[in-house]
Amino acid sequence: MFTPRARRPDAPLVRASSLRASTVLLAVALACATSAVAQPNPAGTPAAGGAVAGASVRELNLTQLGIDYAVQLRGISGTIGIPFNVRADELVTAASFRLNYAYSPSLIPELSHLKVTVNDVLVATLPVNRADAGKPQTAEIPIDRRLITEFNRINVQLVGHYTRECEDPAHTSLWAHIDASSALKLTVTPLKLANDLAKLPLPFFDRRDVQRARIPFVFGTAAAGPVLEAAGVVSSWFGALADYRGATFPVSGGELPTGHAVVFVTPESSVPGLALPAIQGPGLAVVDNPRDASGKLLLVMGRTPADLRTAAAALTLNSKAFAGAAAAVTAFQEPPARKPYDSPRWVPSDRALQLGELATAADLSVTGYNPDVVRVNLQLPPDLFTWRSRGIPLDLRYRYTPRVRPDQSTLNVNVNDNFVGGLPLRSANPAGDRWWNPLAVKLMPDGTLAERKEVILPPLAMGPRSQLRLHYYFEPVGGRCVPQLDNVRGAIDPTSTIDVSGFPHFIAMPELAAYANGGFPFSRMADLSETAVILPPQPDSADTETYLGLLGQIGRSTGYPALRVKVGTPSEATQLADKDLLVIGNLQSQPLFAQWADKMPLKRNGTAPEIKLGSWIDTTIDFVIGARTREDLPGSMQIAISGDGRDAVLAGFESPLHAGRSVVAAITGPDSKEALLNTLMTPELLKRVQGSMTIMRDTQVNSVLGGDTYYVGRLPPIAWVQWNLSRSPLMLAGLVLVLALLGAAVSYAGLQLRARRRLSVGKKSK
């Protein structure tokens, strides 16, 4: 079975180093070649691979290109690399780069300049002058389209000098600032690709495209439960592929959109303008979109809804096994059910994980005195119980060029923006340059020094989505009139491990942060075998789009398609009681919201929604029994929910049908689903989704803590006793009192026994 490989959410990764040198001839040759290979169409249409009329202009700033930090070029040769890619179904016909920059007033104009290259080919040299020094400036740099290939990099290099005599290469006056508003402008023309399943997921999803994926779904048959289950399998697959970009799935009941789309059809389907092939069973096909000369349609076909689900599963698990314009799915067997916490993108709970499983050796290596940060994305199970633990152990193995003399060089370890510690980088000869040095360090054959340290990562800094950042700081050895040799190297050994296998799984619920960041509790089983989605009795397109978008987000968290998700109606909810439920709809269309009003933190009071929060009685009870309290979220507040349908609500609560099971209610409508999905796909907004309920309106996100607390998971017996006693001072006092009474009773009984023995001895002596 083929499983799509996880893509890190921080990709594309920006490095300060340039690409390997290439010649202009090679760049031009690659640019002239397109990824669309001209092949004869089986239907006898003209060969694919040609440009289609309808050019469009796209402009991307540095943030959209993956540079999400302030760019400062320092030293005599500071460089920043800006990656950009071109979709396989597009041809660049014109390109330019608008560079907004400023430079130090101390630079000597005759000796200093900014150099701009595209794929190592020089495209511009920007002089510096004293009149404009220190001021914001803009340069429009045209780029020859023949230099642009599928994967590209723009390098901006500062060549700076502040004196004509001996200079310090690390002097603070050597700087240039590149503003994030700098933008790349591309004029692209669509390319018509060949109808070939071997290109999947192209052109429906292209990993070169850093923009949010938009993949329309068309249902040629009634979108009932089994059909929607097949669509959810495909949307979760696309969500896993899209990863950090996010993906939305506009829904059409039969009319074809322009561009690329996925169509679910059976022999009874009728899609205007689309001639369906003969359907003999589960199958897949790629055909031209009759409404768009450059568009393609991915047909997911079957005689029955069950066949559609089989075709969807085969597509998501074995997409690389198909070829040609159409293929039948035969002898397909679904893989065994997944085990808890075995999602491909999660740090496993039953063994140590090597960093080499998350990043390549090239990503773990850096060079130079101003190296980029080594980034490793970690997705932890959201319910890891790290209370009173030392932390999460990281067995870090690393290599570096040893220092000439002892200095302040360190390997700094961070989790996200939280500093964990600094590991000193030793020198090769701590005792100096004497001919006999008993303290000399043994080096590796390549001249590097290998070390191994155990680093404890603080649990409070680790969330469901965390990033381990390892930064080599090499103290410059140069100075005034001393040349600086840029010959330092550093690498994190891929065999370094992080181990969470010693932590139990236990979490206080509801906690929407666990759902928003990790898809929990649904993602506990990667194939969603313990998940059911409850849609309104008559779901509209907004409900279906919300369902597909939410499954895409869960697929992003797990990296695995939702092969065993169940889709039902409110009348079928009792049959799905043993599952975690994702309930979608609004307060009018979804009857479960009225039936479960007493359990929900949000209910309808007349014609206006009302938030149900804890009273002083609940607070007192929580204090006695030791329920959790959070001071970072409001437990009571006044908030108005608009009646115009623009507010989306996420609410979490315990399932009324089964103790220990969870319900996440997505209360949306046609005008609010965009706010919900955009919040879950925007990192800045995602951080605000917490507690038991979150209300979203456009880009405003507010979370509150209300409703009853329940717990999911299991603790070892001793940890369970310690945890419960620590949460309730009255329970602890009661236990102490009980133990004191027991001790007193035992002492009293012992004294009575001793007294009777003494009395019996006295009687015998008489």
Side-chain angles (χ1 to χ4, degrees):
M1 298 296 180
F2 173 79
T3 302
R5 183 174 179 178
R7 177 78 180 263
R8 302 186 312 280
D10 65 324
L13 196 60
V14 178
R15 290 188 177 275
S17 61
S18 64
L19 297 172
R20 287 179 291 184
S22 62
T23 64
V24 177
L25 181 60
L26 177 59
V28 172
L30 289 174
C32 293
T34 65
S35 60
V37 180
Q39 296 179 358
N41 190 296
T45 57
V52 179
S56 61
V57 178
R58 182 177 305 132
E59 187 168 310
L60 302 170
N61 59 36
L62 294 192
T63 301
Q64 294 170 311
L65 292 172
I67 311 296
D68 56 355
Y69 53 87
V71 177
Q72 293 283 354
L73 304 181
R74 298 187 179 278
I76 60 175
S77 185
T79 304
I80 178 67
I82 305 168
F84 72 95
N85 307 324
V86 179
R87 287 181 57 96
D89 58 351
E90 293 178 342
L91 175 68
V92 175
T93 57
S96 64
F97 181 54
R98 185 179 69 248
L99 181 64
N100 298 327
Y101 65 104
Y103 50 83
S104 170
S106 300
L107 297 180
I108 299 177
E110 295 82 2
L111 303 178
S112 306
H113 58 272
L114 287 172
K115 185 170 67 173
V116 182
T117 63
V118 174
N119 295 336
D120 291 332
V121 178
L122 180 67
V123 295
T125 300
L126 306 178
V128 302
N129 59 74
R130 297 192 185 279
D132 297 324
K135 301 176 183 178
Q137 299 185 60
T138 298
E140 290 287 347
I141 304 171
I143 301 174
D144 190 331
R145 69 179 183 86
R146 295 173 297 176
L147 298 176
I148 298 177
T149 64
E150 292 180 342
F151 299 96
N152 310 274
R153 183 179 293 266
I154 299 174
N155 281 349
V156 182
Q157 179 182 7
L158 167 66
V159 178
H161 299 279
Y162 67 94
T163 178
R164 297 180 184 276
E165 301 176 355
C166 297
E167 63 183 351
D168 180 2
H171 199 276
T172 56
S173 65
L174 296 172
W175 63 265
H177 172 76
I178 308 300
D179 195 84
S181 62
S182 301
L184 174 69
K185 185 177 181 180
L186 299 174
T187 302
V188 298
T189 299
L191 284 174
K192 187 173 182 179
L193 302 181
N195 295 334
D196 190 356
L197 292 168
K199 295 182 179 295
L200 289 174
L202 293 174
F204 310 96
F205 169 76
D206 194 327
R207 65 189 180 97
R208 305 167 183 85
D209 195 347
V210 297
Q211 301 179 93
R212 183 171 296 172
R214 184 180 183 275
I215 307 170
F217 277 27
V218 180
F219 294 96
T221 184
V227 177
L228 290 176
E229 290 171 2
V233 173
V234 178
S235 70
S236 62
W237 178 58
F238 278 124
L241 294 174
D243 199 7
Y244 69 95
R245 307 167 185 83
T248 59
F249 306 92
V251 169
S252 170
E255 183 178 354
L256 292 175
T258 58
H260 311 303
V262 181
V263 186
F264 297 84
V265 292
T266 62
E268 295 77 23
S269 300
S270 177
V271 181
L274 178 62
L276 295 178
I279 301 176
Q280 304 298 329
L284 301 168
V286 175
V287 299
D288 293 335
N289 187 343
R291 289 199 57 196
D292 190 332
S294 61
K296 297 293 179 182
L297 301 177
L298 172 61
L299 304 184
V300 181
M301 304 177 293
R303 291 169 298 181
T304 64
D307 281 353
L308 289 180
R309 183 153 184 166
T310 299
L315 167 68
T316 58
L317 293 174
N318 271 330
S319 63
K320 298 300 181 183
F322 297 103
V329 177
T330 58
F332 174 76
Q333 293 184 351
E334 286 193 358
R338 306 286 296 198
K339 298 178 180 179
Y341 305 105
D342 71 345
S343 297
R345 289 187 178 167
W346 285 14
V347 176
S349 299
D350 56 353
R351 64 178 178 87
L353 176 72
Q354 293 188 358
L355 299 187
E357 299 178 52
L358 303 174
T360 64
D363 293 333
L364 298 175
S365 303
V366 295
T367 62
Y369 277 96
N370 295 293
D372 194 13
V373 178
V374 175
R375 295 176 173 88
V376 180
N377 292 292
L378 303 173
Q379 189 145 332
L380 303 178
D383 61 343
L384 274 187
F385 188 76
T386 57
W387 179 71
R388 283 191 176 180
S389 68
R390 294 174 55 235
I392 298 175
L394 171 67
D395 183 12
L396 186 61
R397 307 181 186 205
Y398 56 102
R399 296 179 292 111
Y400 57 91
T401 303
R403 313 305 295 144
V404 177
R405 297 176 182 82
D407 57 17
Q408 303 301 314
S409 299
T410 57
L411 172 59
N412 298 318
V413 182
N414 298 267
V415 174
N416 299 327
D417 294 325
N418 302 297
F419 176 72
V420 176
L423 306 177
L425 303 182
R426 296 189 295 165
S427 65
N429 300 300
D433 297 330
R434 294 178 296 180
W435 69 272
W436 181 75
N437 188 352
L439 300 179
V441 178
K442 184 178 181 180
L443 302 180
M444 302 287 289
D446 60 357
T448 61
L449 179 61
E451 296 206 52
R452 180 178 181 179
K453 299 287 184 181
E454 183 185 53
V455 179
I456 302 300
L457 304 179
L460 294 180
M462 304 288 291
R465 293 180 187 172
S466 301
Q467 189 177 75
L468 179 64
R469 301 176 182 175
L470 305 165
H471 182 217
Y472 279 96
Y473 167 71
F474 296 105
E475 183 176 348
V477 296
R480 184 176 176 83
C481 298
V482 178
Q484 185 181 74
L485 299 179
D486 197 9
N487 60 349
V488 292
R489 305 289 184 269
I492 306 300
D493 198 302
T495 59
S496 302
T497 60
I498 182 171
D499 191 357
V500 300
S501 60
F503 297 95
H505 294 275
F506 188 76
I507 187 174
M509 299 285 280
E511 182 52 86
L512 290 178
Y515 165 72
N517 290 278
F520 189 84
F522 312 113
S523 55
R524 176 176 171 272
M525 304 296 292
D527 55 5
L528 302 196
S529 59
E530 296 184 1
T531 296
V533 180
I534 306 297
L535 293 173
Q538 300 296 328
D540 57 20
S541 60
D543 297 325
T544 306
E545 289 176 17
T546 302
Y547 157 69
L548 295 174
L550 294 181
L551 256 65
Q553 283 299 103
I554 297 175
R556 175 198 173 179
S557 299
T558 62
Y560 195 80
L563 297 179
R564 290 179 171 82
V565 66
K566 288 291 184 182
V567 176
T569 60
S571 61
E572 300 171 328
T574 54
Q575 304 172 25
L576 304 170
D578 61 339
K579 297 180 181 293
D580 296 307
L581 303 179
L582 177 60
V583 185
I584 298 172
N586 57 54
L587 296 179
Q588 293 80 25
S589 65
Q590 180 55 265
L592 291 183
F593 293 155
Q595 297 176 24
W596 297 346
D598 293 338
K599 282 280 189 178
M600 295 178 61
L602 176 71
K603 63 181 180 179
R604 175 164 289 281
N605 181 13
T607 59
E610 177 185 84
I611 297 177
K612 183 180 69 175
L613 296 170
S615 64
W616 67 270
I617 298 178
D618 298 322
T619 304
T620 303
I621 295 175
D622 290 346
F623 176 77
V624 173
I625 67 175
R628 71 162 183 180
T629 57
R630 288 183 57 177
E631 298 182 358
D632 58 326
L633 291 179
S636 63
M637 65 184 298
Q638 291 184 352
I639 186 168
I641 300 179
S642 172
D644 59 6
R646 293 176 57 193
D647 287 325
V649 178
L650 271 181
F653 53 96
E654 187 174 18
S655 174
L657 305 176
H658 193 292
R661 288 293 185 180
S662 301
V663 175
V664 173
I667 306 173
T668 63
D671 299 325
S672 59
K673 61 179 176 61
E674 294 295 338
L676 170 63
L677 297 177
N678 183 64
T679 297
L680 295 178
M681 289 184 281
T682 305
E684 294 76 15
L685 302 179
L686 185 65
K687 299 176 183 178
R688 307 177 197 169
V689 180
Q690 301 181 56
S692 60
M693 186 171 61
T694 300
I695 301 147
M696 293 148 283
R697 182 183 179 90
D698 298 329
T699 58
Q700 299 178 5
V701 180
N702 297 288
S703 295
V704 294
L705 180 64
D708 300 325
T709 299
Y710 63 101
Y711 294 88
V712 173
R714 180 177 298 177
L715 291 176
I718 296 178
W720 184 88
V721 172
Q722 294 175 335
W723 164 249
N724 283 279
L725 291 179
S726 69
R727 295 163 57 241
S728 177
L730 293 182
M731 185 180 297
L732 180 61
L735 179 62
V736 172
L737 180 60
V738 169
L739 292 177
L741 292 176
L742 288 175
V746 171
S747 300
Y748 178 77
L751 292 174
Q752 289 291 328
L753 179 60
R754 186 175 182 182
R756 285 195 295 268
R757 287 177 178 175
R758 292 179 62 185
L759 290 175
S760 62
V761 171
K763 290 179 180 180
K764 291 179 180 180
S765 62
K766 293 179 180 180

